[in-house]
Amino acid sequence: MEHDALDAGEARYELVISVDARGSGQYSDAEKPLMRRQIYEVLETAFAQAGVGRNAVHLEDRGDGVLISVPGRIAVARLLGLWMTELHEKLRLDNRRERRPLGLRVAMHVGPVRHDSEGICGDAVNLACGLADSSVARHLLEREQADLVLAVSESLYREVVAPGGKFIDPDRFAPARITLKGGEVTAWFQLPGRPAPALGQPTAPSSPTTAASGSPAAAEEEDGFEHGERDGYGDGDPAYRAGRDMNVFRDTTFERSVHIGHNIGTDRRKD
């Protein structure tokens, strides 16, 4: 996408899209070129089907993903609706024949973006990348064995998703509070083609908190807190990681003997 020399480096409001591949570190050097080819094929097919010219958007290669900015003259609703629908459909069909299905985490936010000769930068870029890399997005993709997870910022949900529209159903999104490098934010998550995902509810700091197996707070997930971020489900609550059920008791007095844990022979739940 070309930019006038006169306004190079000036901030302009654009849609930022961050795309990351699931488990990219698990691909061998020989497999990574195929993974990258799959990413570009599904993205470019979706752009074509949505009527967005490839040369109309800015696209940066990120090795195991892609960073995209879309100028304001292209409706955000088209990318959130038709483009995401085409992206999911192409990915779903391609994965049927792949030995290792490709999983994508996609995040979107609209905000001021600065362009220079090397690419794009700004808080809007940082937020979109942080949402795509969040442990909630990672966990949802893994837990649900989904092809695609979408995360959008609070402002984008409120201004574009909540009113609804063609291929945009706000009832299929669920919110979560997450902590990124820039601070705590609310994000909205969707698994395209499915009902709103179960993300759990915030808990009061003074009440017992149970991190149930299968919830983002209890997940043993890939790179869950690797980049200085922690997902939060209550203001001031610490973050815990566990492979199975974990109970946290605060200011609790037990007046008689209790058993905490699973009874051998009665717990039939599979890990």
Side-chain angles (χ1 to χ4, degrees):
M1 180 172 57
E2 297 182 358
H3 297 278
D4 296 335
L6 292 177
D7 63 359
E10 294 183 359
R12 68 200 72 187
Y13 272 77
E14 297 183 339
L15 172 66
V16 181
I17 306 174
S18 179
V19 181
D20 284 339
R22 170 176 51 202
S24 58
Q26 300 173 10
Y27 287 83
S28 68
D29 283 349
E31 294 172 324
K32 284 180 179 177
L34 175 60
M35 174 197 72
R36 287 165 51 80
R37 188 160 61 246
Q38 287 178 281
I39 293 174
Y40 278 94
E41 184 178 343
V42 296
L43 291 177
E44 291 174 358
T45 298
F47 277 126
Q49 293 296 328
V52 178
R54 171 64 181 79
N55 61 351
V57 303
H58 170 85
L59 190 150
E60 290 182 29
D61 182 76
R62 291 299 180 96
D64 59 353
V66 176
L67 180 62
I68 303 165
S69 67
V70 183
R73 66 178 181 273
I74 299 175
V76 174
R78 187 187 304 182
L79 278 299
L80 263 171
L82 181 57
W83 183 76
M84 279 300 303
T85 299
E86 294 292 348
L87 182 67
H88 175 240
E89 184 66 10
K90 171 65 174 172
L91 188 59
R92 184 182 67 84
L93 293 176
D94 285 358
N95 278 344
R96 287 180 175 180
R97 62 174 183 268
E98 295 296 335
R99 181 182 63 84
R100 186 199 292 265
L102 176 65
L104 294 179
R105 302 187 306 274
V106 178
M108 296 186 183
H109 173 60
V110 172
V113 176
R114 296 181 185 274
H115 291 255
D116 58 29
S117 59
E118 303 300 327
I120 59 175
C121 64
D123 289 342
V125 175
N126 295 341
L127 178 54
C129 292
L131 295 181
D133 195 44
S134 69
S135 54
V136 172
R138 289 174 176 270
H139 179 71
L140 272 178
L141 196 64
E142 201 62 38
R143 185 189 75 186
E144 303 297 333
Q145 289 298 292
D147 300 307
L148 182 66
V149 61
L150 170 65
V152 301
S153 65
E154 169 75 2
S155 59
L156 186 55
Y157 177 86
R158 183 176 62 252
E159 295 167 6
V160 182
V161 176
K166 190 172 184 180
F167 303 114
I168 301 176
D169 184 356
D171 292 336
R172 291 178 179 266
F173 287 77
R177 291 292 289 175
I178 62 176
T179 302
L180 305 179
K181 289 182 180 179
E184 192 174 72
V185 301
T186 296
W188 291 77
F189 295 85
Q190 180 196 39
L191 294 168
R194 305 190 188 189
L199 296 179
Q201 297 296 324
T203 56
S206 60
S207 62
T209 302
T210 300
S213 177
S215 73
E220 286 288 354
E221 53 191 309
E222 177 192 22
D223 298 335
F225 300 94
E226 184 178 26
H227 301 294
E229 64 184 46
R230 295 192 323 177
D231 291 351
Y233 291 87
D235 294 339
D237 280 353
Y240 299 94
R241 300 179 68 189
R244 298 198 60 180
D245 287 349
M246 179 174 68
N247 297 298
V248 178
F249 299 94
R250 297 184 179 89
D251 303 323
T252 302
T253 300
F254 297 101
E255 297 181 353
R256 56 190 302 177
S257 61
V258 297
H259 171 80
I260 300 175
H262 296 284
N263 293 319
I264 298 175
T266 62
D267 180 16
R268 298 182 179 274
R269 189 185 65 182
K270 296 181 180 179
D271 289 334

